Amino acid sequence: VYEDRDVIVIDKPAGLVVHPAAGHSSGTLVNALIAHCGASLSGIGGVMRPGIVHRLDKDTSGLIVVAKNDAAHQALSEQFKSHGADGRLVRTYRALVWGAPDRKEGIIDLPLARSTKNRLKITVAKGDSGRHAVTHYRVLETFAGADGKPAVSLMELQ
């Protein structure tokens, strides 16, 4: 989507694994970035590797920002670390969700933590154990099912 000497922005398709790992040593986004950037990808932390500063799960599509050098990696890491609290970075997503929320827009302000039942999932945390997480949502469009009831909503999330 975009590339300059400091960063590259990739439109990651669903199903693409980002980092090489057991069972995925090739065919990952990192493998493709190293092949594409070649010598322009400077050593980050002394190793030639892209500076991926945020995450998108394997089955999630969307834009992923990658630093190509140490300076860009440090600057982007600081911006993503604040999760938008300081106003330097705003992440906006569009998502399809089953059904429709009761309100057309609102704020979800609940702490998140890794699920104790399934370590691969994130869930709302009990008490003060989770990370602070705030999502502003707005329903853009709702699609009815064959029964006329809301089946799916297109939403914008920040």
Side-chain angles (χ1 to χ4, degrees):
V1 174
Y2 176 82
E3 182 176 12
D4 64 22
R5 68 183 187 92
D6 298 312
V7 298
I8 185 168
V9 180
I10 306 292
D11 187 1
K12 185 189 98 55
L16 179 63
V17 174
V18 175
H19 294 281
H24 297 283
S25 60
S26 63
T28 69
L29 179 62
V30 167
N31 297 133
L33 285 164
I34 290 171
H36 170 77
C37 295
S40 72
L41 189 64
S42 66
I44 297 173
V47 178
M48 189 177 110
R49 62 179 177 82
I52 296 175
V53 295
H54 65 104
R55 56 176 288 164
L56 286 178
D57 293 336
K58 173 187 168 195
D59 294 325
T60 301
S61 63
L63 299 179
I64 190 162
V65 181
V66 181
K68 292 171 64 177
N69 57 57
D70 282 332
H73 189 241
Q74 189 171 20
L76 287 170
S77 292
E78 284 300 315
Q79 290 177 51
F80 276 91
K81 187 177 179 181
S82 76
H83 295 279
D86 62 10
R88 292 185 295 162
L89 177 74
V90 175
R91 291 185 273 186
T92 303
Y93 303 89
R94 291 220 170 154
L96 292 170
V97 300
W98 292 115
D102 293 335
R103 296 183 302 162
K104 294 288 185 194
E105 59 183 60
I107 299 171
I108 302 167
D109 186 352
L110 295 167
L112 297 178
R114 192 166 299 282
S115 170
T116 56
K117 294 179 181 159
N118 182 344
R119 301 293 296 159
L120 299 176
K121 296 190 179 224
I122 302 296
T123 187
V124 173
K126 305 280 191 243
D128 296 329
S129 63
R131 293 179 318 224
H132 182 245
V134 177
T135 300
H136 299 258
Y137 71 88
R138 181 169 59 106
V139 177
L140 300 176
E141 193 170 355
T142 299
F143 304 94
D147 60 2
K149 294 180 181 176
V152 176
S153 295
L154 174 63
M155 298 182 66
E156 183 176 85
L157 309 155
Q158 284 191 344

mmCIF file of all heavy atoms in Angstrom, residues 90-111:
data_model
loop_
_atom_site.group_PDB
_atom_site.id
_atom_site.type_symbol
_atom_site.label_atom_id
_atom_site.label_comp_id
_atom_site.label_asym_id
_atom_site.label_seq_id
_atom_site.Cartn_x
_atom_site.Cartn_y
_atom_site.Cartn_z
ATOM 1 N N VAL A 90 -4.190 6.734 15.796
ATOM 2 C CA VAL A 90 -5.569 6.263 15.895
ATOM 3 C C VAL A 90 -5.709 5.091 14.938
ATOM 4 O O VAL A 90 -5.361 5.199 13.766
ATOM 5 C CB VAL A 90 -6.579 7.371 15.521
ATOM 6 C CG1 VAL A 90 -7.994 6.827 15.515
ATOM 7 C CG2 VAL A 90 -6.462 8.550 16.474
ATOM 8 N N ARG A 91 -6.185 3.973 15.442
ATOM 9 C CA ARG A 91 -6.400 2.786 14.602
ATOM 10 C C ARG A 91 -7.899 2.628 14.387
ATOM 11 O O ARG A 91 -8.667 2.568 15.344
ATOM 12 C CB ARG A 91 -5.832 1.542 15.266
ATOM 13 C CG ARG A 91 -4.319 1.571 15.300
ATOM 14 C CD ARG A 91 -3.776 0.300 15.848
ATOM 15 N NE ARG A 91 -3.702 0.412 17.300
ATOM 16 C CZ ARG A 91 -3.159 -0.495 18.081
ATOM 17 N NH1 ARG A 91 -2.669 -1.598 17.568
ATOM 18 N NH2 ARG A 91 -3.120 -0.319 19.379
ATOM 19 N N THR A 92 -8.299 2.563 13.137
ATOM 20 C CA THR A 92 -9.704 2.394 12.779
ATOM 21 C C THR A 92 -9.854 1.092 12.013
ATOM 22 O O THR A 92 -9.082 0.818 11.102
ATOM 23 C CB THR A 92 -10.193 3.575 11.922
ATOM 24 O OG1 THR A 92 -9.978 4.790 12.649
ATOM 25 C CG2 THR A 92 -11.667 3.440 11.603
ATOM 26 N N TYR A 93 -10.845 0.319 12.405
ATOM 27 C CA TYR A 93 -11.106 -0.975 11.792
ATOM 28 C C TYR A 93 -12.543 -1.010 11.292
ATOM 29 O O TYR A 93 -13.414 -0.343 11.843
ATOM 30 C CB TYR A 93 -10.959 -2.117 12.818
ATOM 31 C CG TYR A 93 -9.631 -2.179 13.487
ATOM 32 C CD1 TYR A 93 -9.383 -1.468 14.665
ATOM 33 C CD2 TYR A 93 -8.610 -2.954 12.960
ATOM 34 C CE1 TYR A 93 -8.143 -1.529 15.288
ATOM 35 C CE2 TYR A 93 -7.374 -3.024 13.582
ATOM 36 C CZ TYR A 93 -7.153 -2.309 14.745
ATOM 37 O OH TYR A 93 -5.934 -2.374 15.362
ATOM 38 N N ARG A 94 -12.782 -1.816 10.293
ATOM 39 C CA ARG A 94 -14.142 -2.151 9.879
ATOM 40 C C ARG A 94 -14.290 -3.644 10.089
ATOM 41 O O ARG A 94 -13.385 -4.415 9.771
ATOM 42 C CB ARG A 94 -14.376 -1.786 8.423
ATOM 43 C CG ARG A 94 -14.379 -0.279 8.234
ATOM 44 C CD ARG A 94 -15.421 0.136 7.289
ATOM 45 N NE ARG A 94 -15.543 1.580 7.321
ATOM 46 C CZ ARG A 94 -15.990 2.273 6.321
ATOM 47 N NH1 ARG A 94 -16.335 1.666 5.215
ATOM 48 N NH2 ARG A 94 -16.113 3.572 6.429
ATOM 49 N N ALA A 95 -15.430 -4.030 10.630
ATOM 50 C CA ALA A 95 -15.649 -5.438 10.935
ATOM 51 C C ALA A 95 -17.101 -5.815 10.672
ATOM 52 O O ALA A 95 -18.005 -4.988 10.822
ATOM 53 C CB ALA A 95 -15.318 -5.711 12.400
ATOM 54 N N LEU A 96 -17.294 -7.050 10.285
ATOM 55 C CA LEU A 96 -18.631 -7.618 10.197
ATOM 56 C C LEU A 96 -18.871 -8.406 11.477
ATOM 57 O O LEU A 96 -18.031 -9.220 11.878
ATOM 58 C CB LEU A 96 -18.750 -8.546 8.986
ATOM 59 C CG LEU A 96 -18.689 -7.850 7.627
ATOM 60 C CD1 LEU A 96 -18.568 -8.875 6.507
ATOM 61 C CD2 LEU A 96 -19.912 -6.980 7.420
ATOM 62 N N VAL A 97 -19.990 -8.154 12.129
ATOM 63 C CA VAL A 97 -20.313 -8.859 13.372
ATOM 64 C C VAL A 97 -21.701 -9.482 13.251
ATOM 65 O O VAL A 97 -22.568 -8.973 12.538
ATOM 66 C CB VAL A 97 -20.254 -7.916 14.607
ATOM 67 C CG1 VAL A 97 -18.872 -7.327 14.775
ATOM 68 C CG2 VAL A 97 -21.271 -6.807 14.495
ATOM 69 N N TRP A 98 -21.881 -10.604 13.928
ATOM 70 C CA TRP A 98 -23.188 -11.263 13.921
ATOM 71 C C TRP A 98 -24.189 -10.421 14.683
ATOM 72 O O TRP A 98 -23.886 -9.905 15.759
ATOM 73 C CB TRP A 98 -23.101 -12.647 14.558
ATOM 74 C CG TRP A 98 -22.308 -13.630 13.754
ATOM 75 C CD1 TRP A 98 -21.132 -14.216 14.114
ATOM 76 C CD2 TRP A 98 -22.618 -14.132 12.457
ATOM 77 N NE1 TRP A 98 -20.688 -15.055 13.120
ATOM 78 C CE2 TRP A 98 -21.587 -15.022 12.078
ATOM 79 C CE3 TRP A 98 -23.660 -13.912 11.562
ATOM 80 C CZ2 TRP A 98 -21.581 -15.699 10.875
ATOM 81 C CZ3 TRP A 98 -23.653 -14.589 10.353
ATOM 82 C CH2 TRP A 98 -22.628 -15.460 10.022
ATOM 83 N N GLY A 99 -25.383 -10.268 14.155
ATOM 84 C CA GLY A 99 -26.448 -9.534 14.820
ATOM 85 C C GLY A 99 -26.231 -8.035 14.766
ATOM 86 O O GLY A 99 -25.582 -7.519 13.856
ATOM 87 N N ALA A 100 -26.817 -7.349 15.743
ATOM 88 C CA ALA A 100 -26.691 -5.893 15.816
ATOM 89 C C ALA A 100 -26.691 -5.468 17.280
ATOM 90 O O ALA A 100 -27.488 -5.979 18.067
ATOM 91 C CB ALA A 100 -27.840 -5.213 15.082
ATOM 92 N N PRO A 101 -25.806 -4.542 17.650
ATOM 93 C CA PRO A 101 -25.842 -4.062 19.035
ATOM 94 C C PRO A 101 -27.129 -3.278 19.294
ATOM 95 O O PRO A 101 -27.772 -2.795 18.359
ATOM 96 C CB PRO A 101 -24.613 -3.152 19.136
ATOM 97 C CG PRO A 101 -24.060 -3.008 17.771
ATOM 98 C CD PRO A 101 -24.769 -3.937 16.855
ATOM 99 N N ASP A 102 -27.481 -3.147 20.559
ATOM 100 C CA ASP A 102 -28.694 -2.414 20.935
ATOM 101 C C ASP A 102 -28.613 -0.940 20.541
ATOM 102 O O ASP A 102 -29.611 -0.342 20.166
ATOM 103 C CB ASP A 102 -28.936 -2.515 22.449
ATOM 104 C CG ASP A 102 -29.273 -3.929 22.874
ATOM 105 O OD1 ASP A 102 -29.772 -4.699 22.027
ATOM 106 O OD2 ASP A 102 -29.015 -4.269 24.036
ATOM 107 N N ARG A 103 -27.399 -0.372 20.653
ATOM 108 C CA ARG A 103 -27.206 1.044 20.305
ATOM 109 C C ARG A 103 -26.371 1.152 19.031
ATOM 110 O O ARG A 103 -25.490 0.332 18.801
ATOM 111 C CB ARG A 103 -26.518 1.788 21.448
ATOM 112 C CG ARG A 103 -27.376 1.821 22.718
ATOM 113 C CD ARG A 103 -26.743 2.616 23.823
ATOM 114 N NE ARG A 103 -25.432 2.053 24.124
ATOM 115 C CZ ARG A 103 -24.487 2.692 24.792
ATOM 116 N NH1 ARG A 103 -24.680 3.901 25.224
ATOM 117 N NH2 ARG A 103 -23.327 2.112 25.036
ATOM 118 N N LYS A 104 -26.622 2.184 18.236
ATOM 119 C CA LYS A 104 -25.914 2.387 16.968
ATOM 120 C C LYS A 104 -24.470 2.825 17.175
ATOM 121 O O LYS A 104 -23.634 2.653 16.298
ATOM 122 C CB LYS A 104 -26.636 3.422 16.098
ATOM 123 C CG LYS A 104 -27.992 2.964 15.634
ATOM 124 C CD LYS A 104 -27.852 1.881 14.591
ATOM 125 C CE LYS A 104 -29.200 1.493 14.029
ATOM 126 N NZ LYS A 104 -29.154 0.265 13.286
ATOM 127 N N GLU A 105 -24.171 3.412 18.324
ATOM 128 C CA GLU A 105 -22.785 3.758 18.643
ATOM 129 C C GLU A 105 -22.592 3.739 20.145
ATOM 130 O O GLU A 105 -23.551 3.830 20.903
ATOM 131 C CB GLU A 105 -22.389 5.104 18.045
ATOM 132 C CG GLU A 105 -23.214 6.292 18.482
ATOM 133 C CD GLU A 105 -22.773 7.552 17.753
ATOM 134 O OE1 GLU A 105 -22.847 7.578 16.512
ATOM 135 O OE2 GLU A 105 -22.356 8.494 18.440
ATOM 136 N N GLY A 106 -21.335 3.581 20.538
ATOM 137 C CA GLY A 106 -21.064 3.523 21.963
ATOM 138 C C GLY A 106 -19.590 3.286 22.233
ATOM 139 O O GLY A 106 -18.758 3.308 21.323
ATOM 140 N N ILE A 107 -19.301 3.066 23.508
ATOM 141 C CA ILE A 107 -17.929 2.834 23.956
ATOM 142 C C ILE A 107 -17.910 1.575 24.800
ATOM 143 O O ILE A 107 -18.742 1.403 25.698
ATOM 144 C CB ILE A 107 -17.405 4.026 24.787
ATOM 145 C CG1 ILE A 107 -17.409 5.298 23.943
ATOM 146 C CG2 ILE A 107 -16.009 3.736 25.332
ATOM 147 C CD1 ILE A 107 -17.112 6.563 24.734
ATOM 148 N N ILE A 108 -16.958 0.703 24.512
ATOM 149 C CA ILE A 108 -16.729 -0.484 25.335
ATOM 150 C C ILE A 108 -15.444 -0.221 26.099
ATOM 151 O O ILE A 108 -14.383 -0.040 25.503
ATOM 152 C CB ILE A 108 -16.594 -1.754 24.466
ATOM 153 C CG1 ILE A 108 -17.855 -1.949 23.628
ATOM 154 C CG2 ILE A 108 -16.308 -2.967 25.344
ATOM 155 C CD1 ILE A 108 -17.703 -2.971 22.526
ATOM 156 N N ASP A 109 -15.533 -0.146 27.411
ATOM 157 C CA ASP A 109 -14.383 0.157 28.270
ATOM 158 C C ASP A 109 -14.266 -0.952 29.309
ATOM 159 O O ASP A 109 -14.840 -0.871 30.395
ATOM 160 C CB ASP A 109 -14.593 1.520 28.938
ATOM 161 C CG ASP A 109 -13.383 1.992 29.732
ATOM 162 O OD1 ASP A 109 -12.418 1.209 29.900
ATOM 163 O OD2 ASP A 109 -13.398 3.146 30.192
ATOM 164 N N LEU A 110 -13.540 -2.012 28.926
ATOM 165 C CA LEU A 110 -13.382 -3.181 29.782
ATOM 166 C C LEU A 110 -11.946 -3.685 29.690
ATOM 167 O O LEU A 110 -11.341 -3.653 28.613
ATOM 168 C CB LEU A 110 -14.338 -4.303 29.342
ATOM 169 C CG LEU A 110 -15.823 -4.015 29.496
ATOM 170 C CD1 LEU A 110 -16.644 -5.048 28.738
ATOM 171 C CD2 LEU A 110 -16.202 -4.008 30.962
ATOM 172 N N PRO A 111 -11.376 -4.173 30.804
ATOM 173 C CA PRO A 111 -10.000 -4.695 30.765
ATOM 174 C C PRO A 111 -9.938 -6.036 30.035
ATOM 175 O O PRO A 111 -10.864 -6.846 30.123
ATOM 176 C CB PRO A 111 -9.654 -4.860 32.243
ATOM 177 C CG PRO A 111 -10.974 -5.058 32.917
ATOM 178 C CD PRO A 111 -11.969 -4.246 32.133
#
